[in-house]
Amino acid sequence: MSEFTKIVGNEDGSLGTIDIYIPEQCMSCPRIIEKLNDLEEYRKTVNKLLEMAFSGDEVTLVNKATGEVLDKDQSTKIVCKMAASGMDELDENIAKAQRDIYTLTNGCEGPLTLGGSDGSRVVRVAMCDSPKVFYSGLGETQIGEPVIIQRDLERNED
């Protein structure tokens, strides 16, 4: 077993899954999905840093300001520090996401789905219906709020 696998704990070298509790009714909530996707991207980045740090391959870093190529030992130390820092930040981000998800899902009955049709197409939109989201933005325009949009052709019943 490699040193990397001993530290990380998975044969594929990944940090594994991000264990966050989500109530069943909120599993398809766009806000929750967005938070989980952000965590997954961060996890992948940390995995890449860990892989670089423990792969045994030569790592070469270049100082952008001076153009100087750092030696192998310096490069490896920097990548190791970045990986360790990334793991700590990932833990903090997971804890923050769990707190945010608890706040959003507390008292929520699940996403709100709205739909419309022009006779040939059907569009459905799902959005977070958490009381924390609804009341905090009441009457305000929400730009950039995560939603899920599903477009279908309406079946002709004739």
Side-chain angles (χ1 to χ4, degrees):
M1 183 184 290
S2 72
E3 190 66 22
F4 175 72
T5 305
K6 286 179 197 171
I7 291 170
V8 176
N10 291 337
E11 289 301 320
D12 68 353
S14 70
L15 287 173
T17 59
I18 296 170
D19 294 325
I20 292 184
Y21 172 74
I22 303 166
E24 187 70 32
Q25 74 273 12
C26 294
M27 291 292 238
S28 61
C29 175
R31 275 190 194 268
I32 305 292
I33 292 169
E34 181 181 58
K35 284 191 177 299
L36 294 177
N37 286 341
D38 289 346
L39 283 175
E40 180 61 16
E41 286 305 310
Y42 197 84
R43 184 188 69 80
K44 286 178 183 177
T45 301
V46 172
N47 277 340
K48 287 182 193 228
L49 287 170
L50 286 169
E51 189 176 328
M52 286 173 59
F54 293 104
S55 69
D57 294 339
E58 187 171 322
V59 177
T60 304
L61 297 178
V62 177
N63 183 332
K64 257 182 137 175
T66 65
E68 172 191 2
V69 176
L70 303 177
D71 69 37
K72 180 184 174 188
D73 290 338
Q74 270 184 306
S75 295
T76 302
K77 285 178 185 176
I78 290 170
V79 171
C80 287
K81 285 181 183 179
M82 289 170 63
S85 174
M87 289 177 70
D88 289 342
E89 285 181 34
L90 181 61
D91 286 343
E92 291 168 15
N93 289 341
I94 290 170
K96 183 185 181 323
Q98 182 65 76
R99 287 189 303 272
D100 291 349
I101 289 170
Y102 175 77
T103 300
L104 278 174
T105 61
N106 190 21
C108 184
E109 295 179 16
L112 174 64
T113 304
L114 305 169
S117 173
D118 67 358
S120 63
R121 295 173 298 206
V122 177
V123 176
R124 283 185 275 305
V125 177
M127 65 193 81
C128 183
D129 195 30
S130 168
K132 296 294 182 188
V133 173
F134 182 72
Y135 293 112
S136 65
L138 191 60
E140 297 175 12
T141 302
Q142 299 293 320
I143 298 174
E145 180 176 344
V147 297
I148 296 173
I149 301 171
Q150 181 180 354
R151 293 180 174 94
D152 296 316
L153 290 176
E154 197 166 67
R155 291 195 179 117
N156 191 343
E157 298 290 324
D158 296 336

